[in-house]
């Protein structure tokens, strides 16, 4: 039986602690809307991340959308955005009519290259905001990116959807941006089944985001509207799952790190390297990935297909935004060739599920090794 059990990239891991909060919501009939779990989850996340204000939302994408609105992005405005990422980092810019200019990656973290960002500001001095991701849980070169944004007086939106719990120089990711975004989608390091959070030290900003997220209802006895609103709030039941999950975040991180370390030592000597990080960073190791050496003849898709035949889930790296048909007319700024395209071409994501057993991990490792 165990031989046919599917091995996942990253699937939800429930602890049981979630039920206490869900049951409380049911017992008090606060299943919706909002309620104590939502208020407490916001406080607990703010405390964990080290940011003073937070608003719980229906998804990370909703949080990104509200961050783009807070950055005052209007029709035709240029926003400088990480190129190597999931489309949800970039799409909310279009929701507000903004125009993405994609910024290439560097090889040390696979994230936004500060040098390319600097170059982009020279070409687009009018840029309105920056959206920078911490890919696969690895912090970007956040100090440099933060400095460049400050120098140009534009807000930084930090897409920490994949990096909850990761630190850079001892500080939590999501706290570097003027606005920080988290996701609790099913495959993330903790999950609420679906949900997101927007954090900021700017109290006014979070009040505005909360207002937009609840249909922009003005404080009148009747439904009075001056602005366009959205139905973006998290339900009290969902927030209960989040509170239970948050108690286990550090445990999830420790298990993800073991998975990464195990791959790393098992693959030493092969013509490939693990997704790298800076010595000032401690990633949450959400996904373990490998990059084949340039000279290597093994192809990521061959390995992915071979693992697939063995009921093991592996995936290509996120396809860069500048290679997406949707964004074919957007500009792409790079200073070192096409780094994100190279990582896409030569990389893959390995199973990083924290429920993976020792023998399952050994099976994955043996199958990968057999390609070299
Ligand atoms: C998952 C993810 C999002 C979107 O979060 P949802 O909660 O799924 O809307 C945004 N950015 C990145 C980098 C992600 O991985």
């Amino acid at each position: 039986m165990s031989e046919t059990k599917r091995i996942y990239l990253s699937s939800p891991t429930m602890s049981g602690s979630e039920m206490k909060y869900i049951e409380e919501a049911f017992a008090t009939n606060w299943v919706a809307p909002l309620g104590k779990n939502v208020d407490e989850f916001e406080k607990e996340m703010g405390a964990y991340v080290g940011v003073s204000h937070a608003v719980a939302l229906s998804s990370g994408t909703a949080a990104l959308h509200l961050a783009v609105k807070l950055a005052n992005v209007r029709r035709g405005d240029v926003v400088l955005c990480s190129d190597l990422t999931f489309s949800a980092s970039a799409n909310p810019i279009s929701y507000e009519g903004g125009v993405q200019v994609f910024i290439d990656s560097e090889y040390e973290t696979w994230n936004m290259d500060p040098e390319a960002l600097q170059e982009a500001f020279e070409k687009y001095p009018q840029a309105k905001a920056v959206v920078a991701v911490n890919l696969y849980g690895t912090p970007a070169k956040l100090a440099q990116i933060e400095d460049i944004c400050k120098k140009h007086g534009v807000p930084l939106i930090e897409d920490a959807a994949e990096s909850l719990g990761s630190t850079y120089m001892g500080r939590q990711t999501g706290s570097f941006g003027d606005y920080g975004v988290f996701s609790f989608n099913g495959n993330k390091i903790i999950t609420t089944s679906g949900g997101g959070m927007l954090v900021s030290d700017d109290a006014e900003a979070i009040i505005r985001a909360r207002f937009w997220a609840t249909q922009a209802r003005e404080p009148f006895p009747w439904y009075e509207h001056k602005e366009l609103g959205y139905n973006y709030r998290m339900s009290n039941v969902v927030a209960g799952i989040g509170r239970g999950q948050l108690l286990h975040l550090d445990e999830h991180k420790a298990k993800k790190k073991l998975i990464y370390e195990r791959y790393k030592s098992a693959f030493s000597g092969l013509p490939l390297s693990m997704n790298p990080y800076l010595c000032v960073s401690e990633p949450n190791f959400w996904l373990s990935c490998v990059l084949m050496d340039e000279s290597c003849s093994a192809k990521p898709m061959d390995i992915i297909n071979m693992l697939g035949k063995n009921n093991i889930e592996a995936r290509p790296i996120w396809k860069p935004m500048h290679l997406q048909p949707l964004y074919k007319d957007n500009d792409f700024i790079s200073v070192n060739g096409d780094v994100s395209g190279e990582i896409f071409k030569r990389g893959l994501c390995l199973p990083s599920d924290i429920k993976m057993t020792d023998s399952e991990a050994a099976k994955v490792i043996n199958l990968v090794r057999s390609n070299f």
Side-chain angles (χ1 to χ4, degrees):
M1 274 306 280
S2 68
E3 267 167 25
T4 58
K5 205 176 94 214
R6 187 157 171 79
I7 304 173
Y8 290 101
L9 203 69
S10 182
S11 71
T13 302
M14 293 294 131
S15 64
S17 320
E18 300 83 6
M19 285 314 289
K20 172 173 152 260
Y21 300 105
I22 297 171
E23 276 163 9
E24 198 176 293
F26 274 69
T28 55
N29 202 34
W30 273 118
V31 294
L34 307 173
K36 181 180 163 197
N37 281 336
V38 172
D39 297 343
E40 294 300 315
F41 189 35
E42 288 173 348
K43 282 188 209 143
E44 288 156 5
M45 275 290 292
Y48 188 94
V49 175
V51 171
S52 38
H53 304 279
V55 55
L57 300 165
S58 52
S59 69
T61 310
L64 280 155
H65 182 197
L66 297 181
V68 167
K69 274 177 74 73
L70 285 167
N72 248 316
V73 173
R74 304 274 165 80
R75 189 149 300 280
D77 285 344
V78 166
V79 177
L80 310 176
C81 180
S82 289
D83 180 60
L84 187 62
T85 187
F86 179 42
S87 65
S89 302
N91 291 344
I93 297 163
S94 298
Y95 300 171
E96 293 302 310
V99 179
Q100 301 84 349
V101 168
F102 294 110
I103 311 297
D104 199 11
S105 292
E106 33 78 7
Y107 279 116
E108 287 168 304
T109 75
W110 296 6
N111 290 302
M112 180 182 275
D113 183 347
E115 242 183 279
L117 178 63
Q118 186 55 52
E119 185 125 327
F121 268 114
E122 274 150 39
K123 188 164 176 189
Y124 298 98
Q126 79 280 22
K128 231 16 200 310
V130 170
V131 177
V133 72
N134 301 306
L135 204 72
Y136 300 128
T138 303
K141 294 185 173 176
L142 289 167
Q144 286 103 308
I145 292 171
E146 198 183 26
D147 279 352
I148 295 168
C149 290
K150 286 221 165 80
K151 192 171 100 194
H152 293 273
V154 308
L156 171 62
I157 298 170
E158 190 186 354
D159 182 350
E162 301 177 358
S163 70
L164 175 58
S166 304
T167 61
Y168 177 95
M169 293 179 129
R171 227 171 101 193
Q172 289 283 324
T173 60
S175 72
F176 285 82
D178 295 85
Y179 313 111
V181 167
F182 296 101
S183 165
F184 312 109
N185 192 20
N187 61 356
K188 299 287 154 62
I189 191 149
I190 63 168
T191 181
T192 61
S193 74
M197 187 89 62
L198 177 66
V199 301
S200 179
D201 281 321
D202 180 348
E204 282 302 311
I206 295 300
I207 289 169
R208 295 210 50 74
R210 196 173 271 126
F211 169 76
W212 287 326
T214 40
Q215 307 283 20
R217 285 169 58 182
E218 299 291 338
F220 286 81
W222 53 87
Y223 283 78
E224 177 88 5
H225 301 285
K226 296 179 189 162
E227 286 187 66
L228 190 60
Y230 302 87
N231 182 6
Y232 276 174
R233 281 292 254 163
M234 181 181 276
S235 93
N236 202 43
V237 174
V238 162
I241 305 176
R243 293 182 74 191
Q245 285 271 291
L246 192 54
L247 298 172
H248 297 272
L249 172 57
D250 290 338
E251 185 187 315
H252 288 193
K253 261 170 61 179
K255 288 181 177 164
K256 293 272 192 190
K257 183 171 183 173
L258 282 178
I259 293 169
Y260 179 97
E261 296 292 349
R262 187 199 306 243
Y263 282 137
K264 189 172 176 146
S265 67
F267 297 152
S268 72
L270 296 185
L272 55 76
S273 51
M274 300 294 295
N275 46 335
Y277 57 96
L278 303 176
C279 60
V280 293
S281 290
E282 181 63 23
N284 67 5
F285 300 99
W286 175 56
L287 289 191
S288 288
C289 308
V290 294
L291 184 68
M292 316 284 180
D293 291 355
E294 247 165 313
S295 58
C296 181
S297 59
K299 293 278 165 284
M301 271 322 293
D302 295 340
I303 299 177
I304 291 166
N305 290 334
M306 178 212 218
L307 292 172
K309 284 197 193 98
N310 287 276
N311 208 16
I312 297 167
E313 186 186 19
R315 258 196 229 162
I317 300 297
W318 295 121
K319 185 174 179 182
M321 291 302 111
H322 82 282
L323 298 176
Q324 298 288 354
L326 176 63
Y327 293 119
K328 65 181 189 317
D329 297 327
N330 295 57
D331 201 359
F332 171 56
I333 307 288
S334 82
V335 292
N336 190 19
D338 177 359
V339 175
S340 62
E342 273 297 307
I343 295 171
F344 172 62
K345 204 162 72 189
R346 294 194 274 120
L348 72 143
C349 307
L350 291 173
S352 309
D353 198 85
I354 58 183
K355 296 174 295 316
M356 185 160 57
T357 64
D358 289 353
S359 67
E360 287 170 337
K363 183 176 163 189
V364 175
I365 286 166
N366 285 334
L367 285 166
V368 172
R369 287 192 68 98
S370 72
N371 285 270
F372 296 90

